[in-house]
């Protein structure tokens, strides 16, 4: 049994997750969670899903908050510090 890999028609994120999360193409003795017909997204706890979820939260939060300006100032200060060496 091999882990399921979504087709491109399932959506970009599931397709990329299928490629990245199963890059080593492991083999299992028992059925895998995604082998049922119609099951595409068994990647809910994958690193990529969490990364996109966290990025979405940060982007949505930054629209309503001024902390983004603080991060820009911090990045500018770090750049100046690096250049002063």
């Amino acid at each position: 049994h091999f882990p399921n890999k979504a087709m491109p028609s399932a959506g970009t994120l599931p397709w990329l997750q299928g490629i990245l999360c199963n890059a080593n193409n492991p083999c299992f003795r028992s059925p895998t969670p995604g082998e049922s017909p119609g099951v595409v997204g068994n990647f809910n706890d994958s690193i990529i899903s969490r990364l996109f979820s966290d990025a979405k939260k940060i982007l949505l939060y930054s629209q309503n908050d001024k902390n983004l300006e603080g991060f820009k100032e911090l990045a500018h200060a770090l750049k100046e510090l690096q250049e002063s060496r």
Side-chain angles (χ1 to χ4, degrees):
H1 297 275
F2 294 99
N4 69 319
K5 294 178 182 132
M7 299 298 288
S9 61
T12 305
L13 183 59
W15 180 61
L16 288 175
Q17 286 176 328
I19 292 170
L20 296 175
C21 295
N22 300 313
N24 60 351
N25 205 22
C27 179
F28 302 99
R29 292 184 183 265
S30 57
T32 60
E35 284 189 58
S36 302
V39 175
V40 175
N42 63 336
F43 301 104
N44 292 336
D45 294 327
S46 71
I47 294 172
I48 295 174
S49 291
R50 287 182 279 165
L51 175 70
F52 279 115
S53 175
D54 291 345
K56 181 180 175 183
K57 288 177 189 175
I58 290 170
L59 292 173
L60 290 175
Y61 181 73
S62 67
Q63 290 177 354
N64 299 324
D65 193 12
K66 301 299 180 193
N67 285 340
L68 184 59
E69 293 173 13
F71 286 122
K72 287 180 184 177
E73 291 174 10
L74 177 62
H76 182 68
L78 289 173
K79 185 178 177 182
E80 287 181 356
L81 180 65
Q82 186 179 11
E83 291 173 356
S84 68
R85 286 186 172 177

